[in-house]
Amino acid sequence: MTQTFIQMSGQGDEDGDVSAIVKTRSKTKRPPLYKVLLLNDDFTPMEFVVAVLERFFGMNHAQAFEIMLTVHKRGLAVVGVFTHEIAETKVTQVMDFARRHQHPLQCTMEKE
Ligand code: TYC
């Protein structure tokens, strides 16, 4: 909470009263952000990873294929940046989807 006091100059009115305007402003702080990372492995099929990126991260096929290849070549990639709750939900969705399909795909989050 920030209070701004506006200083009044002069000696006040005939009673000697000095008035002040006090503005109270609630600072809207931006929430901390978290990177969601997708990790490479040797077994998850490329098409499955592409499907994950389309389904849970709203990418089109070309974007998803490009990011999948980045993970495949470099070992990992940031696939999105979200608030804590949304990042956690994405990680859970990906991990559940991979487990249901019996793929070892790993997805994690870290503070930006
Ligand atoms: N390396 C996997 C393969 O050759 C493909 C892959 C890409 C797996 C990205 C996981 O996050 C991943 N089939």
Side-chain angles (χ1 to χ4, degrees):
M1 200 80 101
T2 301
Q3 286 184 329
T4 304
F5 294 88
I6 296 173
Q7 187 69 49
M8 306 296 283
S9 57
Q11 299 305 323
D13 63 12
E14 55 282 357
D15 307 329
D17 289 351
V18 173
S19 62
I21 298 164
V22 177
K23 287 196 292 186
T24 302
R25 174 180 55 142
S26 296
K27 271 246 179 89
T28 51
K29 287 193 287 180
R30 283 173 291 108
L33 295 177
Y34 293 79
K35 296 183 283 197
V36 172
L37 307 160
L38 204 59
L39 278 55
N40 188 37
D41 66 73
D42 293 337
F43 306 103
T44 304
M46 289 184 173
E47 319 82 71
F48 184 82
V49 177
V50 171
V52 162
L53 293 170
E54 290 171 344
R55 176 183 287 238
F56 299 115
F57 297 93
M59 296 182 195
N60 64 38
H61 194 77
Q63 293 170 326
F65 196 88
E66 191 176 310
I67 300 290
M68 179 282 296
L69 270 190
T70 301
V71 178
H72 176 70
K73 291 181 196 161
R74 303 175 69 94
L76 82 180
V78 176
V79 297
V81 177
F82 307 98
T83 60
H84 189 274
E85 188 177 1
I86 294 175
E88 216 166 50
T89 300
K90 301 282 181 194
V91 169
T92 300
Q93 287 174 330
V94 172
M95 295 298 282
D96 285 354
F97 192 61
R99 198 187 46 238
R100 287 207 305 274
H101 290 83
Q102 303 192 321
H103 295 311
L105 183 63
Q106 294 295 305
C107 185
T108 61
M109 59 192 270
E110 70 174 40
K111 201 161 193 276
E112 206 178 40

